[in-house]
Amino acid sequence: MKSSSPSWIKLFILQCLAVVCVAQDFDFFYFVQQWPGSYCDTKQSCCYPTTGKPAADFGIHGLWPNYKDGSYPSNCDPDSPFDQSKISDLSSSMQRNWPSLACPSSNGFTFWGHEWDKHGTCSESVLDQHDYFSSALGLKTQLNLLQALKTAGIQPNGQFYSLSSIKGAIKAGTGYTPYIECNVDVSGNSQLYQIYMCVDNSGTNLIECPVFPHGRCGSSIEFPSF
């Protein structure tokens, strides 16, 4: 018996299903924090937020859905744009813990909007816009990276430390293996830039990373002051 459904309707349904699958399917999150001293100590430099110089602590960069094969979804839902009114109760905490250091100086909303549009929309099956940012703030509180490093004698004082000692300090302090991303200062030295930790797809629980990003640091890296 011949189907009464026009072929274009079938095609439309299949396309919709494909979009939903791509938008909501991911395996884990990278929770990424950056050291402001390393962000600023580059040729492009930085601009402090309109609220003033951030604290000398790691700041959130993002909470990024990822696949176990190393790829990741992005910009999954153009119909769910960033709406700052949905996070009005979080904004003061975000300005402290998720500051933008990009130029020109800003209040952070453009940075947060970019993170939601590119990454947050790909985890909407688990976290709505408020929960996405709230989860990241909760993870920041749970992971005191600077204290873990200081406990191991690793201070943001412009000295050089072995990459293995930095990884070991973070694992000792958190229970999980980090990925360390470096950048290069104005003198060409490799420096501690970002620390990646992995989180299950609820956005709540730390896990061992199924896969690490590509990249390389020197065996000895600088931890600049801020």
Side-chain angles (χ1 to χ4, degrees), residues 87-187:
I87 58 165
S88 57
D89 62 314
L90 302 176
S91 58
S92 60
S93 180
M94 289 176 65
Q95 285 167 342
R96 291 192 306 273
N97 295 291
W98 201 329
S100 171
L101 292 166
C103 296
S105 295
S106 74
N107 58 13
F109 286 105
T110 298
F111 179 30
W112 306 331
H114 167 79
E115 290 300 308
W116 169 255
D117 292 342
K118 182 175 182 180
H119 302 288
T121 55
C122 299
S123 60
E124 283 182 296
S125 62
V126 181
L127 303 170
D128 63 21
Q129 195 165 143
H130 183 276
D131 289 344
Y132 174 76
F133 291 104
S134 179
S135 292
L137 291 170
L139 289 165
K140 171 73 164 59
T141 301
Q142 183 181 345
L143 287 167
N144 193 333
L145 300 180
L146 184 59
Q147 186 57 54
L149 291 168
K150 286 183 173 180
T151 297
I154 299 171
Q155 304 277 349
N157 54 10
Q159 299 298 308
F160 285 78
Y161 299 92
S162 71
L163 178 60
S164 60
S165 67
I166 290 171
K167 287 182 177 179
I170 297 297
K171 181 159 189 178
T174 67
Y176 295 91
T177 306
Y179 171 77
I180 307 298
E181 180 183 354
C182 295
N183 66 359
V184 177
D185 69 9
V186 292
S187 302

